[in-house]
Amino acid sequence: MNGRRCLEEFLERELDNAYRFAYTYMRSATDAEDVVNTSVVKALANISSLRDDNAVKCWFYKIIANTAMTELRRSSRCIAVSDDALNAAREDDHSAMNFESMIKSLPEDMKAIVVMKFCDGLTFSEAARVLAMNENTVKTKFYAAMRRLKAEREYYYV
């Protein structure tokens, strides 16, 4: 199949997941949209570097990860937090914790792996290719993240 056509079909099926992946890096809906849009343009411009049509997901996610990291380095921004938001964060009611708030405390590399596994359904080997890491390193970071999340959850519900 033509690489461009393969990418188009992939984007039709998986654009929401790609956006969610970008959001884990950017933590802003508009920034995540910008990263995905930029990644699509980069992917189309470099479609000839896609050697295997079956690897389009890993290839595109790697483009997203690289684009997001470049944008984060470029902007290295500070986020202003209102007093209301700080007071809401101090509340002891943790019954409304969702996936995003649970993984917020994880380092970026662990967070990306957890999102790839749970939200995007990538295997460890696919996640390793996206993040340019050894597969065993990805597994180690994933299980370390799971231990951290479990410890945090037990802390909140004691």
Side-chain angles (χ1 to χ4, degrees):
M1 179 185 297
N2 174 334
R4 183 179 177 96
R5 183 68 191 140
C6 183
L7 178 64
E8 289 171 359
E9 288 177 5
F10 169 76
L11 290 173
E12 288 173 9
R13 287 189 321 270
E14 300 286 335
L15 193 59
D16 288 341
N17 291 333
Y19 166 77
R20 186 176 22 240
F21 180 64
Y23 186 84
T24 62
Y25 281 97
M26 304 308 294
R27 295 189 182 174
S28 160
T30 56
D31 291 342
E33 288 174 6
D34 290 344
V35 164
V36 171
N37 289 337
T38 303
S39 298
V40 169
V41 171
K42 287 180 181 180
L44 288 171
N46 296 297
I47 196 70
S48 62
S49 69
L50 177 62
R51 292 181 217 118
D52 180 9
D53 289 349
N54 295 325
V56 68
K57 186 173 189 175
C58 291
W59 178 76
F60 187 67
Y61 274 44
K62 187 167 185 89
I63 293 171
I64 291 174
N66 290 340
T67 303
M69 294 306 292
T70 300
E71 181 58 33
L72 288 172
R73 276 192 300 271
R74 184 180 302 141
S75 64
S76 61
R77 56 190 152 214
C78 295
I79 300 172
V81 179
S82 69
D83 289 337
D84 293 337
L86 285 174
N87 291 334
R90 290 186 187 120
E91 292 178 7
D92 289 331
D93 179 23
H94 298 287
S95 60
M97 285 181 60
N98 60 21
F99 182 73
E100 184 180 331
S101 65
M102 287 175 60
I103 66 169
K104 185 186 289 187
S105 64
L106 294 174
E108 291 299 321
D109 58 345
M110 287 182 173
K111 188 185 313 176
I113 293 167
V114 169
V115 169
M116 283 187 236
K117 282 294 289 175
F118 288 124
C119 298
D120 301 323
L122 267 66
T123 64
F124 286 123
S125 62
E126 291 171 332
R129 277 187 273 162
V130 168
L131 297 172
M133 291 181 178
N134 181 296
E135 184 176 346
N136 289 330
T137 303
V138 170
K139 289 178 185 178
T140 300
K141 288 180 179 286
F142 175 78
Y143 291 118
M146 293 297 99
R147 284 191 299 277
R148 284 178 72 165
L149 292 173
K150 182 179 179 185
E152 285 181 24
R153 184 172 175 249
E154 289 171 355
Y155 170 77
Y156 287 130
Y157 291 108
V158 170

